[in-house]
Amino acid sequence: MKTTEIRKLVSPSTFTQRIDRPTSRGDKPPLLALDGLVKRYGRTIAVDNLSLNLQEGEVFGFLGPNGAGKTSTIRMLCGLARSNAGSGTVLGFDIWNERFEIRSRLGYVPQQFSLYSDLTLLENLWFFASLYGVSMRWADYRIRTLLAQLDLFPYRQVRAGHLSGGFKQLLAIGCAILHKPALLVLDEPTSGLDPCNRQTIWNLLYQLSQEGTTIFVTTHYMDEADRCTKVGLLYSGKLLAIGSPAQLKECLVNHVLDFEVDPLIAAQASMRDLPGVFGTRLRGGKIRLLARDPRNLVAELRKHWPFPALAWHAYEFGVPDMDDVFEAYRCGILVAELESKEV
């Protein structure tokens, strides 16, 4: 086994693969620590036994499809909803019993635009500076800095409700970081934005991370996982895996095949039914297969190609991306492998 420690947690309801560096006695206590959090809405379990630790300056990507439980988790760690079981701390403060202590040290950008549409951009910034108790002199400096940093100065007198989607998000983030919080929580901040605005937001998050702010960002864009220092994969309320993007992709390196087959659309529909294949998609003009045993699959196809209407030209082992990783965990292929190995 590699020097990187691999630990797995098994419970009756979930199996989580953790690929984290080992903690040592000299390590700082985690800035954010969640332990066995559960959130139910009636009979529906939105968050199921969630545990994770984040250190200062980490950029954590919380990935999952809509309805996976990402927003419910955020509401609990921000003290907006009480967990049904488990516990959590931010900077040592309990996420429910000491939630008001946490809120002054936390920045939160919700999924929906929640600033004051009738106020101008500048008025919104000043309003939130007063809410956070920022002094007039410091607020003036921070607002001038953020207007320049976020390219919002030309729009400072525009009413927030008249801003484009990208500028609304930049304003929301600016209001959330006026007081330089230790933890910044963003719920799908780049949803619906164009690539230029997405990049602007990520550049800002990197700068905040370098200054010591811990970033907790939810997204359903798998390509954004590679921008994070640590990623957690959430599905149906369960944390399937947690680790760096490189570590998570390494687990799938022997399960990806790229086939050159014509015609492509017909090939994808036909090849998804091959034995041992648990995922297919088009990628770079090829058919990407996720297979339990790729070498055996190729050997069988060489013996007998079962698709007379399809022309197979070539194949190669592919480099996994986060879409592949999420699909593998969602289908249980990596869980089954890890349970069969003592890792």
Side-chain angles (χ1 to χ4, degrees):
M1 187 172 66
K2 293 181 175 63
T3 55
T4 302
E5 183 185 8
I6 300 178
R7 292 170 288 152
K8 65 178 185 178
L9 303 180
V10 183
S11 72
S13 59
T14 186
F15 175 98
T16 304
Q17 183 198 2
R18 296 181 173 272
I19 313 178
D20 298 312
R21 63 180 181 82
T23 54
S24 66
R25 293 181 181 178
D27 283 345
K28 295 180 180 179
L31 182 139
L32 168 67
L34 304 180
D35 184 16
L37 281 189
V38 175
K39 183 60 182 175
R40 301 186 188 92
Y41 299 101
R43 295 183 178 181
T44 302
I45 301 177
V47 180
D48 191 356
N49 196 34
L50 174 65
S51 298
L52 63 88
N53 293 332
L54 297 182
Q55 300 292 337
E56 179 182 314
E58 285 194 287
V59 180
F60 177 68
F62 205 35
L63 274 71
N66 292 328
K70 303 187 300 295
T71 298
S72 293
T73 301
I74 279 184
R75 288 180 60 80
M76 286 188 288
L77 70 88
C78 291
L80 300 175
R82 190 171 188 173
S83 65
N84 296 103
S87 62
T89 60
V90 174
L91 291 166
F93 297 105
D94 185 271
I95 58 174
W96 181 253
N97 295 325
E98 298 173 293
R99 58 191 181 279
F100 298 110
E101 293 288 342
I102 292 173
R103 287 177 188 174
S104 64
R105 298 166 172 83
L106 176 145
Y108 174 44
V109 181
Q111 193 171 359
Q112 301 296 327
F113 183 71
S114 59
L115 303 184
Y116 292 92
S117 298
D118 291 337
L119 297 182
T120 66
L121 186 153
L122 189 59
E123 289 169 341
N124 268 285
L125 288 169
W126 274 107
F127 176 76
F128 278 87
S130 66
L131 282 183
Y132 286 121
V134 181
S135 68
M136 290 287 290
R137 180 178 294 182
W138 179 241
D140 182 67
Y141 170 76
R142 288 289 293 156
I143 288 172
R144 290 176 182 273
T145 300
L146 289 170
L147 287 175
Q149 186 178 20
L150 302 177
D151 295 325
L152 294 176
F153 185 80
Y155 309 98
R156 63 193 182 282
Q157 299 301 338
V158 177
R159 294 186 186 274
H162 296 161
L163 295 170
S164 68
F167 286 132
K168 283 181 178 178
Q169 280 298 82
L170 290 172
L171 172 58
I173 294 173
C175 290
I177 62 176
L178 270 168
H179 58 307
K180 297 188 77 70
L183 173 64
L184 177 62
V185 180
L186 308 101
D187 195 358
E188 299 187 2
T190 61
S191 181
L193 299 187
D194 62 65
C196 182
N197 281 318
R198 286 176 67 185
Q199 187 60 51
T200 298
I201 287 175
W202 276 101
N203 288 342
L204 174 61
L205 297 184
Y206 291 144
Q207 180 174 340
L208 293 171
S209 172
Q210 291 177 349
E211 294 171 357
T213 300
T214 299
I215 310 295
F216 187 113
V217 56
T218 75
T219 180
H220 52 255
Y221 295 130
M222 295 298 156
D223 63 298
E224 292 193 340
D226 281 317
R227 302 171 183 256
C228 302
T229 58
K230 183 185 285 187
V231 174
L233 304 180
L234 194 71
Y235 187 73
S236 295
K238 299 176 182 179
L239 187 63
L240 302 181
I242 185 167
S244 74
Q247 291 165 335
L248 291 173
K249 286 184 283 189
E250 186 180 1
C251 295
L252 196 60
V253 73
N254 295 319
H255 292 280
V256 181
L257 285 169
D258 289 332
F259 280 81
E260 293 183 29
V261 183
D262 288 322
L264 275 174
I265 302 300
Q268 183 187 19
S270 299
M271 297 181 75
R272 68 162 58 105
D273 295 325
L274 287 169
V277 171
F278 60 92
T280 65
R281 63 187 175 98
L282 299 181
R283 187 179 187 277
K286 300 177 182 179
I287 302 294
R288 169 152 292 192
L289 297 185
L290 305 181
R292 298 179 186 276
D293 189 347
R295 297 184 186 280
N296 181 65
L297 175 63
V298 170
E300 293 297 321
L301 291 177
R302 279 176 168 168
K303 292 179 184 177
H304 173 62
W305 178 247
F307 310 114
L310 304 177
W312 176 17
H313 303 296
Y315 82 93
E316 63 183 359
F317 283 87
V319 178
D321 57 28
M322 289 307 299
D323 281 294
D324 300 327
V325 171
F326 187 82
E327 184 67 12
Y329 278 105
R330 187 187 69 83
C331 293
I333 178 65
L334 288 181
V335 169
E337 275 217 342
L338 287 166
E339 286 179 328
S340 66
K341 299 176 183 178
E342 295 183 0
V343 294

